[in-house]
Amino acid sequence: MSLPLILAGPILRRVDGEVCSAWVALSRPATVEMKLWAGTQISTGPGTVASGDAALASGQVSTRRFGANLHIALVTIDLKGPPAVAVTPGSLHSYDIVIDGAASLRTEGLLKDETAAARLANVDTGTDGGDGSAGFNAPLHLALGYDTDRLPSFVAPAPTIEGLRMAHASCRRSNAGGYDAMAWLDDFIKANKLTPAERPQQLYLTGDQIYADDLGTALLPMLTRLGAELLGGVEKFPVSETVGEEFELNVDKFPPQRRGLIVREKARFSTTDSRNHLLGFGEFAAMYCAAWSSRVWQALGNEFSTFVDFSPDNADTAAFLSKPEAEVGGTLAKWKADPDHGLASIERETKQVRIFRDAVPKAARALANCITYMIWDDHEITDDWNLTGRWLSRVYSKRPGQAIIRNGMVAYGLFQGWGNDPKAFAADGNNKDFLTEAESLFAGSGPFPAAATNRLDETLGFPNAAADKRARWHYRVDGPRHRTIVLDTRTRRDTGGAASTKPPKLLGGTLGDQVPDGPLTDGRELLVVVSAAPVLGPTLFDKVFQPLTAAIKDTSNAIGKMLEDQPYNAAEELKQTVKYTDGDEHRDVEGWAADEGHQEALLKKLGSYPRVVILSGDVHFSCSMTLDYWKGANATPSRIVQLTSSGARNGWPIKIESQFRKNTVFQDLLGGVLVERLAWTGPAKVTVPAGSHISPGRRGRMKRSPALLPVLGWPAGTTVDTPPDWRWRLKLVRDTRTGGQNGAPPDPPALATDINPTASFDGYVGLAKRHAVATMTMPRLLRTLMFLSNIGLVSFRDNAGTVTLTHRLLSASAPSSQTFAVNTLHEASLAPSTEAPPTLLTN
């Protein structure tokens, strides 16, 4: 079918003192121009506004071709000139995108709400018969400026820390339950569209902007079809190590629900969400377009495209396809009828995909109206990507594994990485080489991709690529009074040797490059660090839950116990799980806390700055924490605030989440001081009295370098011979609002605690129901750790001369609601703690 001219975008990308840039994907080659104005503006045509104001500045660029019908432009305005142009900090600006001097956001219909009676050109006007807001295959587009003909706008970072406003989110999964928190960001911007002081100025997407592995079954046929249209020619995918065993990537040869064998056995991935895994570049590109644009959506898969039988159409790939029907009796009919994996199950999942689809217009509008920065985590490629040395040596040695990783990384570079740092991709060097090599994959008429060159794989950082040949995905952004450094914890990690299963050092040897020593000396007052995985987290999760579940997984492998999370034959599943997946891979034991030495090295770097805010995602729950870090004898600590917002659409399973809601004791255990540590660069300078007992683990800690010791539980008479080289105290921040105060949900009503001996049975039942409802919805249990889908808003204020940070987590106002409430609000001072540093305590 025909494709709209503007496939996706505009997405507002890097805006700082040097550049103003926007990303857009088109269905044909073109020259793209970006024009910038001060204030809010009404469009009257391509590059003209009702006020008559001249544009402050403009920039133009030619698109680059990554498929016959996929042409991407990162259009950048050089604010350094000549003439130099200042984007006034804290002020509102508007912009337009002009294509070939004739088409614009207004002429393409993107500045007004689309209606069922007047659809945009070349969008799919069919209906899927589902329960979406309108039931259209392509949901109705929303005016990018919020009002008819109003241009999209943004607010530049404020001139003071007190005026700074940021948003952050991660983990946006198409088939998860609940609503899309990115839509709530759009609602918030809409409510404050003409109030610059309240609008988010920078949005940080901290990983898993798409899920390449955990994908709705009904979505995959659409992506496969759309991907082929974007490329405009045949894309082939290798299924084995045999040269020549590459087949056209279409829904017949690589059907939904049958990809597990390719992904697990041939590519040797460890993900358990493998049945619908993206394989080709076209599919990855289609997934990005679908996540960011309502205009590319087409009909979702139906019974015939999601339950594809073996036939002459896939005879050549049949040996490489999973056979889920073998689990339920061996026939396609029995598979469709199966209550857990059949048609009924797929339709339940499809409802979640429709909810995601119908929120995309809001997500697209938010991305057009807020400066946006991105970094990847694992799911942009596959779960567990680059997890351990053994994972690397196993997966990168296989052609299917290389192909999936290459396709996913190229897509990330074009759709996410490029816009983070336009100058890095324009200047001669590895990043520019990446664009050139990626473009060469899709030159000509196909089949695609052309043979990947060693130079492309070098830029992608495939194993054995020299460090100085790799593209740089980490970057820095300077604001008027703050600096943000965004870490790449996926491609620069140290995973040990080829057989290593140890948790990785997330920055490896690039720690010094990615996190320079502080303090800031250029007038900036605050360091913001973006790390996909939280640097700091409740130790109950980092130290207990993940290692424990990994150990359980290893044990279950040994005894052959199935976890029932694979769609294909049990015998095959057992073989793959035991052969390829240990507990460390299955349960992602790869956070910062998994390697204490590396975590301490990062904290030492951060401790050289007086004030640090860390933004993270990944873990599918949200919280706020403070860490005070004392260096040597310095009585004034650095203040580090960890903010986690996860996921935008990927909360915890309802059964687990409900336990946290109703278990007051559990959340209470996580309050207050979580951890205190004393540390020495070499063995600990602590003397334990002769004959006193300490555990072998603690004695081993004393001998490590660094020696990181707890403060509690030491025998009487224990002495510290030399003061610690550093020490720190970690606390969990609580929401202290009560009674509906400051936007908090109201407190639950008081409930009777006694039982009337003369009450009827119905009275007892009613009393029990009221208590149960109050327990499950108790607002204060959402206020420490948030397990619902959410997005974080970060603001600052002057509190009697001290800067106080506020972290608001927007989540559903009620179960299954599509409106948000500030169910969680955390406040933390950025001033150094006046508390005494931790000291060793004896029994």
Side-chain angles (χ1 to χ4, degrees):
M1 63 176 293
S2 298
L3 292 168
L5 172 59
I6 302 179
L7 294 168
I11 298 177
L12 189 64
R13 298 307 314 270
R14 189 180 183 104
V15 179
D16 58 17
E18 297 186 352
V19 300
C20 176
S21 57
W23 178 98
V24 64
L26 306 180
S27 60
R28 63 169 174 82
T31 298
V32 179
E33 183 179 20
M34 181 182 187
K35 290 197 169 187
L36 178 69
W37 289 267
T40 182
Q41 299 287 347
I42 304 298
S43 172
T44 55
T48 61
V49 292
S51 67
D53 294 346
L56 293 175
S58 64
Q60 70 176 32
V61 69
S62 296
T63 56
R64 301 188 72 153
R65 181 188 189 274
F66 301 100
N69 301 306
L70 177 60
H71 304 265
I72 298 177
L74 181 68
V75 55
T76 300
I77 299 172
D78 184 357
L79 299 177
K80 290 294 186 180
V85 175
V87 173
T88 306
S91 63
L92 189 146
H93 296 74
S94 300
Y95 70 94
D96 196 5
I97 298 296
V98 181
I99 301 168
D100 287 337
S104 66
L105 300 180
R106 185 174 187 265
T107 64
E108 292 304 302
L110 303 188
L111 298 184
K112 62 181 179 181
D113 289 347
E114 188 181 12
T115 66
R119 300 303 307 268
L120 293 172
N122 296 325
V123 302
D124 187 338
T125 57
T127 58
D128 71 356
D131 59 355
S133 59
F136 291 113
N137 296 336
L140 298 176
H141 169 82
L142 296 174
L144 289 183
Y146 295 97
D147 298 314
T148 300
D149 290 337
R150 188 184 301 277
L151 289 171
S153 61
F154 65 91
V155 177
T160 64
I161 296 301
E162 290 82 357
L164 183 61
R165 301 290 181 267
M166 299 184 293
H168 66 127
S170 69
C171 306
R172 187 167 169 242
R173 182 161 65 92
S174 63
N175 58 332
Y179 200 52
D180 187 348
M182 283 293 292
W184 294 328
L185 176 63
D186 178 67
D187 291 340
F188 187 87
I189 295 174
K190 181 178 181 180
N192 296 281
K193 62 187 178 185
L194 300 180
T195 312
E198 296 301 322
R199 283 180 56 167
Q201 300 153 11
Q202 294 179 321
L203 168 64
Y204 292 97
L205 299 178
T206 60
D208 300 340
Q209 277 67 261
I210 66 165
Y211 276 67
D213 47 358
D214 197 348
L215 192 74
T217 299
L219 181 56
L220 184 57
M222 185 197 95
L223 298 181
T224 303
R225 184 171 60 249
L226 175 60
E229 292 172 1
L230 295 176
L231 293 182
V234 171
E235 180 175 14
K236 290 194 171 185
F237 183 82
V239 293
S240 74
E241 301 311 297
T242 302
V243 175
E245 284 192 332
E246 300 95 19
F247 301 102
E248 180 178 352
L249 189 54
N250 59 46
V251 76
D252 291 313
K253 294 187 184 297
F254 295 91
Q257 307 194 78
R258 294 191 183 276
R259 297 185 174 192
L261 191 146
I262 293 171
V263 171
R264 295 272 294 177
E265 183 172 350
K266 301 303 179 181
R268 303 289 291 274
F269 285 1
S270 52
T271 177
T272 54
D273 296 307
S274 56
R275 63 195 179 113
N276 296 314
H277 206 297
L278 301 179
L279 301 178
F281 170 77
E283 292 179 337
F284 277 95
M287 183 69 247
Y288 278 109
C289 288
W292 295 343
S293 172
S294 61
R295 299 180 293 280
V296 299
W297 281 76
Q298 302 173 7
L300 295 174
N302 55 27
E303 175 182 352
F304 304 103
S305 58
T306 56
F307 289 84
V308 176
D309 204 354
F310 290 99
S311 71
D313 292 329
N314 51 41
D316 45 6
T317 57
F320 307 100
L321 300 178
S322 300
K323 301 173 179 59
E325 60 268 48
E327 286 272 322
V328 293
T331 67
L332 185 67
K334 289 183 178 181
W335 177 25
K336 290 182 179 181
D338 181 72
D340 295 323
H341 304 289
L343 279 169
S345 172
I346 298 304
E347 182 52 35
R348 288 192 298 270
E349 181 188 55
T350 302
K351 289 180 180 179
Q352 303 302 335
V353 174
R354 290 179 184 130
I355 293 172
F356 174 84
R357 176 197 63 189
D358 292 341
V360 165
K362 287 189 173 185
R365 187 164 61 180
L367 293 172
N369 285 273
C370 188
I371 301 166
T372 303
Y373 299 96
M374 309 179 188
I375 193 63
W376 51 20
D377 202 10
D378 54 346
H379 289 286
E380 276 95 350
I381 312 299
T382 187
D383 189 24
D384 299 341
W385 177 40
N386 290 352
L387 181 64
T388 64
R390 185 173 65 178
W391 195 100
L392 267 73
S393 62
R394 187 181 72 225
V395 173
Y396 284 88
S397 66
K398 301 300 177 184
R399 294 173 70 234
Q402 292 174 0
I404 297 173
I405 292 172
R406 184 183 298 113
N407 290 332
M409 291 185 72
V410 169
Y412 168 84
L414 302 180
F415 285 79
Q416 295 196 61
W418 190 1
N420 292 322
D421 194 356
K423 287 191 172 183
F425 289 84
D428 289 342
N430 297 332
N431 288 52
K432 183 177 180 180
D433 286 353
F434 159 76
L435 286 179
T436 300
E437 296 295 324
E439 193 170 21
S440 71
L441 288 180
F442 308 102
S445 57
F448 302 117
T453 64
N454 290 335
R455 181 66 187 118
L456 176 63
D457 288 350
E458 282 183 335
T459 66
L460 297 179
F462 273 34
N464 302 320
D468 62 354
K469 299 294 185 180
R470 298 180 175 191
R472 179 186 178 108
W473 303 110
H474 55 280
Y475 56 97
R476 185 179 83 182
V477 182
D478 282 341
R481 287 293 179 267
H482 76 290
R483 169 169 294 163
T484 300
I485 55 176
V486 182
L487 307 181
D488 172 14
T489 60
R490 280 288 157 189
T491 70
R492 298 288 182 158
R493 48 177 53 188
D494 178 0
T495 57
S500 174
T501 60
K502 293 181 179 180
K505 301 179 187 299
L506 297 186
L507 299 184
T510 66
L511 173 61
D513 178 42
Q514 297 202 44
V515 188
D517 290 328
L520 298 170
T521 59
D522 54 5
R524 293 182 173 85
E525 307 166 30
L526 176 67
L527 179 70
V528 178
V529 176
V530 174
S531 170
V535 175
L536 306 169
T539 55
L540 193 61
F541 290 86
D542 290 340
K543 300 294 189 184
V544 179
F545 280 3
Q546 282 193 323
L548 179 60
T549 53
I552 291 172
K553 176 62 181 174
D554 284 336
T555 303
S556 72
N557 284 348
I559 65 176
K561 180 183 180 295
M562 286 297 93
L563 296 183
E564 298 180 350
D565 54 8
Q566 286 291 78
Y568 40 88
N569 180 273
E572 178 186 52
E573 199 276 345
L574 174 59
K575 179 181 71 173
Q576 301 308 320
T577 300
V578 174
K579 187 175 182 180
Y580 301 138
T581 307
D582 279 354
D584 57 340
E585 293 183 350
H586 192 83
R587 293 303 176 201
D588 297 344
V589 184
E590 58 170 336
W592 282 101
D595 188 305
E596 283 187 341
H598 196 54
Q599 183 183 42
E600 288 299 318
L602 174 64
L603 292 179
K604 182 179 180 180
K605 289 277 190 180
L606 300 183
S608 64
Y609 298 83
R611 300 190 291 187
V612 179
V613 174
I614 306 172
L615 304 179
S616 299
D618 177 58
V619 290
H620 305 168
F621 67 84
S622 300
C623 63
S624 306
M625 314 187 78
T626 62
L627 184 137
D628 294 304
Y629 188 95
W630 288 265
K631 293 172 290 186
N634 192 342
T636 302
S638 296
R639 169 52 66 102
I640 301 171
V641 181
Q642 168 77 66
L643 306 179
T644 302
S645 177
S646 177
R649 194 172 189 246
N650 203 359
W652 279 41
I654 187 63
K655 290 181 180 179
I656 299 175
E657 190 269 325
S658 66
Q659 294 302 312
F660 283 94
R661 277 177 173 257
K662 69 184 182 182
N663 194 327
T664 307
V665 175
F666 184 82
Q667 286 220 0
D668 285 346
L669 287 174
L670 295 173
V673 177
L674 291 178
V675 186
E676 293 178 297
R677 289 288 185 263
L678 311 176
W680 289 261
T681 54
K685 309 302 190 295
V686 173
T687 299
V688 178
S692 299
H693 172 74
I694 62 173
S695 69
R698 182 166 294 201
R699 193 172 297 278
R701 280 181 170 274
M702 294 174 64
K703 297 178 180 179
R704 293 177 190 168
S705 181
L708 191 66
L709 303 183
V711 301
L712 299 174
W714 293 92
T718 301
T719 60
V720 175
D721 305 323
T722 302
D725 295 314
W726 72 90
R727 46 189 122 187
W728 52 258
R729 177 179 292 125
L730 179 67
K731 292 183 178 181
L732 189 65
V733 180
R734 288 180 168 276
D735 187 341
T736 60
R737 299 171 297 168
T738 59
Q741 178 188 49
N742 194 22
D747 287 342
L751 299 174
T753 57
D754 58 336
I755 297 177
N756 183 347
T758 63
S760 66
F761 177 76
D762 290 343
Y764 287 126
V765 172
L767 180 66
K769 286 182 177 179
R770 289 193 297 275
H771 277 269
V773 170
T775 298
M776 291 299 294
T777 60
M778 193 174 291
R780 76 183 185 89
L781 297 182
L782 297 174
R783 299 187 191 172
T784 305
L785 297 177
M786 166 60 72
F787 292 89
L788 305 175
S789 295
N790 63 87
I791 190 167
L793 301 181
V794 184
S795 58
F796 304 84
R797 73 175 192 278
D798 187 322
N799 185 15
T802 297
V803 176
T804 296
L805 175 152
T806 299
H807 190 207
R808 286 176 288 177
L809 293 168
L810 311 185
S811 57
S813 58
S816 302
S817 175
Q818 295 188 1
T819 62
F820 72 84
V822 185
N823 287 312
T824 311
L825 186 148
H826 296 150
E827 292 193 329
S829 172
L830 291 183
S833 173
T834 58
E835 297 176 352
T839 57
L840 186 145
L841 300 176
T842 60
N843 294 327

